[in-house]
Amino acid sequence: MPDYRYIAAHALTGDILHGYLPLTGVECGPELNGPGSLSATLEPGLMRPVTEFLDPGNTLLYVERDGKLAWGGIIWRAEPQGASFPIEAAGFGSYLHRRYDLHGNLDGRGPYIEADPCQVIRDVWAYAQEQPDGDLNVAVDDTKAKATTGTSKSPYSLPKTEAQNLGEVIDEMAEIEDGLEWSESVNWSGRLGRFSRWATHRIHLGAPRLGRRREDISFTSGINIASTPQVVRDADEYAQIVVALGAGQGRKRPHAVDTVRDGRLRLEHRLETNEKNVAQLRDRAHQQRLRRQVLTDITELDVLDHPAAPFGAWNIGDDVLVRLREQHTSYEGWHRITGWTLRPPSGEEAERITLSLERTAKPEDAEDSEET
C-alpha cells in the first residue's frame, strides 16, 4: 500500500508549516487546460493544533505519494462545518484568476501581433510573478506554437483601463484553434533557494497538443482495470456518410462527401466548416467519417497501480490503449487522458485512481454543424 503525507507551506516564503497534515477523504488530481483541484477534511480530533497553518489564499498544499509529489496547489477555502473541517484547493494555475493586468499589455509586453500564444502565456506568468508578493516560483515550458494571435489590423491588446483578468488571458490562448494545451505538475527538487530548495512548480505547454500515443502502457480488464467501467454506446453521433461544406455560399461553395457501407442503417452527418481548399475538405470529411463510425465511448476508468501502467507513467494528454473484456462489453480502442483523480487509501478502502478519458478519434464539433 502506498505511503502518503500532506504538506502545508507558506505561499510567499516557501517555508514548510506542517510536514504531516492529518487529512482524510483526500481527492486530488490535474486536468487538461486547467489547474486541477483537491478536496479533503481535517480529522476532527486533530483540527485545533493545525488549523493555524490553514490560511486560505496564503498556504500551499502538497500531496506526497511514496516519496514523490503527486499534486500541489493553493488552499482557497477552509471552513469548519460542525465537527468537520473541509478544505478546498486548486493548482497553481488558479492563482491567475485572482490577478489582473494593472499596467496594460502586461507592462509593455504587448500589444501582440502574429504572436505565439505560448509566449503570451509565459508573459502572463512573468508579469504576475514580478509584482510585489506575487511570486509563486512557477516555471513555464519554452514550447513554441505555429498558431498566432493578433494581427496588424487587430492586435491582441490588453488595455490598462480594462484591467484584464490574467486567468482569462490564459483561457483565451488555450482556445485558439490548433494553438496549444496546458497542464501543470509539481516535483521535489534538490536545488537550494526559495521554494526550489524542496519543490518545483511547472506549467507544461503542448503545441498544438499535450501528450503522445503511448505504446508502452495499456489498461486491460483483469490486469489493471479496477472496476467495471461505464461504457456508453450512443448512435447520436454515428454516421457512415459525412458531407463537409466549406467556406462561402451558392454553387461555388466547396463540398466533399465521404461514405462507406457497413451493413448498418444509413446515417448521415453534415459538417459546416470555413475550409476553402477542396483537398483539405475531403480529408476532413474522411477523418470525420472514421470518427463517427465508433459507437463505444468511455469517460472514466478506475485503474490499478500496476507494471502494465505504473502510477506516474502517464501524462495529461497521452493516448492510451483500453481493452475491455467485461460481461456485456468486448472493446479495444484508444482514449486520451484529460485528467486523473487520486483517492489515497483510507481504513479498509484501497487506493483509487480514476482516469478521465476522451475518445482519441472524437467527432469534430464544428461551429454551426448539424445532422440532417
Side-chain angles (χ1 to χ4, degrees):
M1 182 178 294
D3 181 52
Y4 281 85
R5 73 170 173 139
Y6 310 104
I7 305 157
H10 193 282
L12 282 183
T13 66
D15 294 334
I16 295 179
L17 304 175
H18 199 291
Y20 293 89
L21 206 60
L23 298 182
T24 61
V26 177
E27 293 189 7
C28 64
E31 61 181 321
L32 182 67
N33 292 336
S37 62
L38 175 143
S39 62
T41 302
L42 273 174
E43 294 184 17
L46 300 172
M47 286 193 296
R48 290 184 179 178
V50 297
T51 51
E52 59 184 287
F53 302 120
L54 302 182
D55 184 10
N58 196 46
T59 302
L60 308 182
L61 182 61
Y62 298 91
V63 177
E64 184 191 67
R65 180 185 185 275
D66 283 343
K68 297 181 180 180
L69 289 181
W71 189 89
I74 306 169
I75 295 176
W76 292 113
R77 188 179 182 88
E79 181 179 353
Q81 294 182 3
S84 65
F85 201 101
I87 297 171
E88 296 179 7
F92 293 97
S94 65
Y95 175 60
L96 295 184
H97 283 277
R98 277 81 171 178
R99 293 288 306 277
Y100 297 84
D101 183 355
L102 305 184
H103 297 80
N105 286 313
L106 304 176
D107 200 15
R109 292 174 172 84
Y112 294 93
I113 300 174
E114 303 294 335
D116 183 341
C118 292
Q119 184 59 50
V120 177
I121 289 180
R122 285 188 285 270
D123 287 352
V124 168
W125 274 105
Y127 170 77
Q129 295 189 111
E130 73 185 10
Q131 307 307 314
D133 302 325
D135 187 6
L136 285 173
N137 198 38
V138 172
V140 185
D141 284 352
D142 59 0
T143 307
K144 295 181 180 180
K146 293 182 179 180
T148 61
T149 183
T151 65
S152 57
K153 293 184 178 180
S154 180
Y156 183 76
S157 182
L158 305 169
K160 180 179 180 179
T161 53
E162 294 184 5
Q164 181 70 41
N165 180 276
L166 299 183
E168 292 178 359
V169 175
I170 301 295
D171 293 341
E172 289 177 1
M173 295 302 104
E175 290 172 358
I176 294 174
E177 185 176 359
D178 295 326
L180 62 90
E181 294 177 340
W182 70 276
S183 188
E184 58 182 80
S185 69
V186 293
N187 290 285
W188 288 126
S189 173
R191 295 177 298 172
L192 298 177
R194 177 177 168 270
F195 278 117
S196 60
R197 69 180 183 272
W198 61 279
T200 59
H201 316 143
R202 177 163 291 277
I203 301 296
H204 300 282
L205 300 178
R209 53 158 285 176
L210 282 170
R212 59 188 177 88
R213 176 165 288 211
R214 299 297 300 273
E215 304 282 354
D216 56 327
I217 60 177
S218 61
F219 299 95
T220 306
S221 296
I223 297 178
N224 59 346
I225 293 180
S227 60
T228 302
Q230 182 176 359
V231 178
V232 178
R233 289 176 60 83
D234 189 350
D236 283 345
E237 294 184 338
Y238 192 90
Q240 312 97 323
I241 296 93
V242 171
V243 54
L245 304 178
Q249 296 179 345
R251 300 175 64 181
K252 293 185 178 180
R253 185 179 190 184
H255 73 281
V257 179
D258 195 90
T259 180
V260 69
R261 297 178 65 186
D262 61 359
R264 296 175 58 89
L265 182 68
R266 181 185 180 109
L267 295 172
E268 301 171 345
H269 176 79
R270 183 176 70 192
L271 179 67
E272 299 271 1
T273 77
N274 293 318
E275 188 62 66
K276 297 179 180 179
N277 185 285
V278 175
Q280 293 180 2
L281 191 63
R282 290 197 190 102
D283 182 65
R284 288 183 66 170
H286 178 67
Q287 294 301 323
Q288 184 70 184
R289 195 263 298 166
L290 292 177
R291 294 168 183 173
R292 288 188 174 272
Q293 279 193 273
V294 180
L295 274 174
T296 305
D297 199 11
I298 308 165
T299 58
E300 285 190 355
L301 193 66
D302 291 337
V303 301
L304 302 172
D305 184 9
H306 186 276
F311 177 79
W314 63 81
N315 298 304
I316 297 296
D318 281 351
D319 295 306
V320 294
L321 184 61
V322 177
R323 300 186 183 95
L324 302 181
R325 301 294 182 267
E326 307 292 342
Q327 182 179 3
H328 302 292
T329 304
S330 179
Y331 169 77
E332 180 173 317
W334 290 88
H335 287 257
R336 192 176 188 215
I337 298 175
T338 59
W340 50 259
T341 301
L342 185 64
R343 298 172 183 85
S346 178
E348 296 182 357
E349 294 184 8
E351 177 185 60
R352 185 178 177 184
I353 306 167
T354 302
L355 302 181
S356 297
L357 300 175
E358 178 181 272
R359 202 167 73 212
T360 296
K362 189 176 181 181
E364 184 176 359
D365 295 322
E367 186 178 357
D368 297 327
S369 67
E370 59 179 278
E371 291 200 12
T372 57

